[in-house]
Amino acid sequence: MCQDAIPSAVAAPAVASGMPDGAALHRRTIRDAVNELGIELAQDVPLWPPDVFAVVASVLQRSGTYRHAVTRWPPGEQEPDTWAKEMTELGEKWGSAWSRHGAAPPEVVRWWSVLQSAADLPVDELPSGTNVVEACLLLLAAADEACKGVGVVDDAARYDDFRMRALELLAGEPGPSSLCERVDKSRGIVLPKMHTPQSGLSVRSLSHNLAFCIPGEVTPRWDVAPAPLGKASLNLLLLPWPLEVVPSQFRPNKGHLSNMDEDAFRFFTCEAKARPAYDDRVAVLMTEAERLVGRVDALVFPELALHRGDAVRLARRFDKVVVGGEGSASDTETGDPGTNLAVIAVPTVNEVYRSEQHKHHRWRLDERQIGQYGLGSQLDPNRSWWEHIELPERQVRFWCLDGWLTFCVLICEDLARQEPVAPVVRAVGPNLVIALVMDGPQLGGRWTSRYATVLAEDPGSSVLALTSFGMVDLSRASGNPPSRVVALWKDGTGGAPREISLEPGAEGVILCLTQKDVKEWTADGRHDDYASGYLLLNGVHQVRPNGAERSG
Amino acid sequence: MGIDPREGTLLTVFALKLARGESGQNLMRTMTFKNEYVRDIARALAGETNVSEAARDEANRIRTWAHVPSL
């Protein structure tokens, strides 16, 4: 792959005047951008591909020059298929060079030297189409190809030293997971990636296997199940509980915000009703669900459906993955906030792996919603009511259960608010996003459907939103007839969102999800050979405690 | 309240390295498991027998997947 025909970037001053007193401002150069990641540009190219990926993704993202990949590509008049094949081979060579503790392939060294020679160029003025941009794009593609299959748990025979090192790095402490060795996690994060956007153009369009994230206030963690599911389908038992929610569960509460204008704003909390443990009810439904579809892989509960500790106990008792919202009401006497978090519990023999993720945004109830849920006896509709929950460190937990199944959970508002979690979710493109909500009917025209559609289109995640039947039943939105729609499914391959009802007499719904391998393309013309797993909904079954199933 | 999933990820790496012929004793020295149950699973994978039955069962499940030779 030669760059001879490509013009070299013209050296531009990295120092610009313009300050009133004539003082010069130092503009960010390529050297600065690379050094900011903790990599010394003057040194040899890092041998570990994710480090190089972080460097060039950062430069391309800051400069926007990745556009060149859809302007004039591939370089050197090569045939596109030949170029893509060469990049695949180069990626393999690079990976095996790392495993042998050898040297990076000569092409990688040469492209790195192009970057070194442009160290003083301002990043924001990198001319598109120069050899520097081309070198960045080539390094990005090669690093991406070297990292096929990193971060997922699948056939053990496919693991080599390279993939094992990737898993070790992802498990590293403290802070976020990252695949980088030399780029500190406070400067840049590289994560495994499941989907490449097939529309639009961003730096995410250029990689299949790696996602670059600028560290921010959301801490991404990557967890893998010890041994994969080993199945090509997933049966989820949705339990849209509680089946009854009443207005008296919502009550005003004092907080510790002395500067909050109480004429305009107040806090509310939602108290769970006293109830027996769910275990026996789950057991009954599980038996029926297994009679219907043979096996259940996971139980899913909505936001705040569970008490603290329920998810782990249920996962242990039933030996199933449990995804659910746990929480507690705020304290009336002390004014301390309550909690609202998503728990993912993955069982092993006799024990359970558990991750938790607190809700990022407080729910704000306004006059319209107070009317919709009939809460006027508890909450004054002339004020806005903020959910009184604590806001600890914001995390997003990605769980890989199999090579085709990496998922994350978002809690209600966190699906709707674009900041701060959406950029990380879009960068990774998990196969499945589960939104646990405390909301009215999950109708195709409502907000969950809109945001699910956004994620389904870019990056291509399938999205499941689940609320409780109690909230659906409580909801009487103006102009809408009573509804029983507790869940909404939107898959990443297109098609309309699908509403899922809880029929009379039923207490749960089984979703049968199947895997479909789809060929995805990067913007520079590389495909992934059908490595992208999409989840499709291929069965909906009502689960009644007394049997008598009807399929939907 | 459940085990930190990082431990599970490291256990996966431990099993894969064993399957590739690395010594269990060496791995027990170089890899640190904070959770006692996970440490027991690792010890069972490495061939130790004085571990709980649950840890042994889980080790067997992982051994099957990772193709760790039985000792």
Side-chain angles (χ1 to χ4, degrees):
Chain A
M1 280 142 276
C2 91
Q3 290 104 47
D4 293 344
I6 303 293
S8 293
V10 178
V15 176
S17 59
M19 295 283 282
D21 60 359
L25 293 174
H26 181 80
R27 297 165 68 189
R28 178 185 281 116
T29 62
I30 287 183
R31 179 188 290 105
D32 297 332
V34 178
N35 288 352
E36 281 166 14
L37 294 173
I39 300 284
E40 183 58 57
L41 182 58
Q43 293 182 355
D44 290 345
V45 61
L47 187 56
W48 181 242
D51 287 324
V52 177
F53 183 87
V55 167
V56 291
S58 170
V59 170
L60 289 166
Q61 188 165 13
R62 283 179 188 280
S63 64
T65 48
Y66 55 83
R67 300 185 308 273
H68 181 63
V70 294
T71 306
R72 187 184 177 87
W73 202 258
E77 309 297 328
Q78 282 184 289
E79 290 295 323
D81 285 352
T82 308
W83 176 77
K85 191 161 172 280
E86 284 184 13
M87 295 311 289
T88 302
E89 290 168 0
L90 179 59
E92 288 167 0
K93 269 168 53 183
W94 194 352
S96 71
W98 179 89
S99 299
R100 295 191 322 270
H101 307 289
E107 297 94 325
V108 170
V109 172
R110 191 167 75 238
W111 298 330
W112 184 258
S113 72
V114 172
L115 204 57
Q116 288 172 318
S117 67
D120 294 323
L121 285 180
V123 170
D124 60 355
E125 280 194 8
L126 267 189
S128 184
T130 59
N131 60 343
V132 183
V133 173
E134 186 181 288
C136 286
L137 288 167
L138 290 165
L139 285 168
L140 188 103
D144 185 43
E145 292 290 338
C147 292
K148 274 183 183 163
V150 294
V152 300
V153 56
D154 54 11
D155 182 1
R158 293 176 57 191
Y159 279 85
D160 53 16
D161 290 343
F162 190 93
R163 288 183 68 191
M164 282 190 278
R165 178 62 183 150
L167 277 185
E168 269 183 308
L169 288 164
L170 289 168
E173 293 184 286
S177 297
S178 178
L179 286 163
C180 290
E181 279 189 335
R182 289 176 53 187
V183 175
D184 188 81
K185 291 186 275 195
S186 65
R187 296 166 181 267
I189 293 170
V190 174
L191 291 169
K193 184 175 178 182
M194 299 298 115
H195 279 301
T196 307
Q198 297 299 289
S199 57
L201 179 67
S202 69
V203 77
R204 295 182 289 111
S205 311
L206 287 163
S207 62
H208 288 300
N209 307 298
L210 297 177
F212 175 67
C213 303
I214 296 169
E217 54 182 309
V218 172
T219 301
R221 289 289 320 169
W222 189 276
D223 303 311
V224 304
L229 281 177
K231 305 173 182 100
S233 62
L234 185 73
N235 294 336
L236 300 180
L237 175 55
L238 309 187
L239 297 166
W241 298 354
L243 297 175
E244 184 186 50
V245 175
V246 295
S248 61
Q249 290 177 247
F250 293 78
R251 58 175 168 79
N253 203 17
K254 289 264 184 195
H256 298 302
L257 277 185
S258 57
N259 65 338
M260 193 158 80
D261 180 351
E262 293 208 333
D263 289 334
F265 306 103
R266 294 278 178 93
F267 281 124
F268 78 92
T269 192
C270 184
E271 191 96 54
K273 283 201 298 187
R275 59 165 173 81
Y278 279 152
D279 301 43
D280 292 344
R281 206 63 185 162
V282 171
V284 169
L285 292 178
M286 184 79 82
T287 301
E288 175 61 7
E290 288 177 343
R291 185 186 73 79
L292 292 173
V293 297
R295 69 163 209 278
V296 171
D297 299 304
L299 312 176
V300 186
F301 295 88
E303 180 184 12
L304 289 179
L306 301 175
H307 297 166
R308 296 302 293 267
D310 278 355
V312 165
R313 195 187 65 256
L314 292 168
R316 185 179 285 128
R317 170 162 176 188
F318 295 103
D319 193 25
K320 306 294 177 198
V321 173
V322 174
V323 177
E326 290 188 356
S328 57
S330 56
D331 191 303
T332 308
E333 288 185 8
T334 64
D336 290 340
T339 57
N340 186 337
L341 61 155
V343 173
I344 300 170
V346 177
T348 70
V349 176
N350 224 28
E351 258 301 348
V352 176
Y353 293 99
R354 174 186 183 276
S355 67
E356 67 176 36
Q357 175 185 323
H358 286 259
K359 190 175 181 180
H360 298 172
H361 296 276
R362 290 170 170 161
W363 183 15
R364 187 175 68 94
L365 273 168
D366 58 17
E367 181 180 3
R368 181 186 59 78
Q369 289 176 313
I370 288 170
Q372 176 182 345
Y373 297 110
L375 305 178
S377 63
Q378 302 295 111
L379 308 176
D380 177 357
N382 295 306
R383 297 183 170 94
S384 289
W385 294 84
W386 287 97
E387 182 182 14
H388 194 212
I389 52 169
E390 60 181 30
L391 297 170
E393 180 195 30
R394 289 165 160 174
Q395 293 194 339
V396 57
R397 309 292 298 238
F398 296 99
W399 264 95
C400 177
L401 299 183
D402 209 315
W404 54 275
L405 180 57
T406 294
F407 74 99
C408 73
V409 176
L410 299 176
I411 310 174
C412 209
E413 290 284 306
D414 304 348
L415 173 68
R417 307 274 79 87
Q418 293 300 292
E419 299 295 337
V421 75
V424 183
V425 174
R426 273 202 289 272
V428 168
N431 309 94
L432 175 64
V433 176
I434 300 175
L436 308 179
V437 303
M438 189 173 173
D439 188 34
Q442 297 303 289
L443 303 173
R446 293 195 62 233
W447 68 273
T448 44
S449 177
R450 288 199 296 278
Y451 294 107
T453 300
V454 170
L455 286 175
E457 286 181 0
D458 176 1
S461 303
S462 296
V463 181
L464 167 68
L466 175 66
T467 187
S468 68
F469 182 77
M471 285 299 288
V472 170
D473 198 39
L474 195 62
S475 170
R476 289 289 182 273
S478 174
N480 286 340
S483 169
R484 303 185 66 91
V485 178
V486 294
L488 183 117
W489 173 264
K490 170 71 184 164
D491 73 53
T493 58
R498 183 161 171 188
E499 298 172 352
I500 296 156
S501 293
L502 184 73
E503 293 180 2
E507 294 186 13
V509 182
I510 302 171
L511 300 191
C512 301
L513 308 180
T514 55
Q515 170 203 2
K516 181 182 182 185
D517 292 331
V518 172
K519 184 195 271 189
E520 287 185 346
W521 294 84
T522 50
D524 61 9
R526 292 174 293 121
H527 69 72
D528 65 356
D529 201 18
Y530 296 93
S532 296
Y534 281 78
L535 291 181
L536 306 182
L537 178 56
N538 277 311
V540 178
H541 304 273
Q542 301 292 317
V543 185
R544 297 177 169 82
N546 57 351
E549 181 260 354
R550 279 176 288 165
S551 294
Chain B
M1 278 304 286
I3 305 169
D4 182 347
R6 290 174 208 245
E7 299 271 293
T9 305
L10 287 175
L11 186 64
T12 302
V13 175
F14 183 93
L16 289 165
K17 287 187 170 181
L18 269 180
R20 292 171 61 83
E22 291 198 34
S23 140
Q25 282 183 333
N26 281 348
L27 288 172
M28 288 302 296
R29 273 198 296 272
T30 54
M31 296 183 74
T32 306
F33 298 101
K34 293 178 186 166
N35 181 276
E36 190 178 343
Y37 176 68
V38 177
R39 197 159 52 241
D40 273 359
I41 299 169
R43 289 172 54 221
L45 281 166
E48 295 188 28
T49 53
N50 56 338
V51 297
S52 69
E53 189 178 339
R56 197 160 46 241
D57 287 350
E58 177 65 359
N60 285 338
R61 191 179 74 95
I62 296 172
R63 176 179 282 120
T64 302
W65 166 71
H67 308 298
V68 179
S70 294
L71 297 171

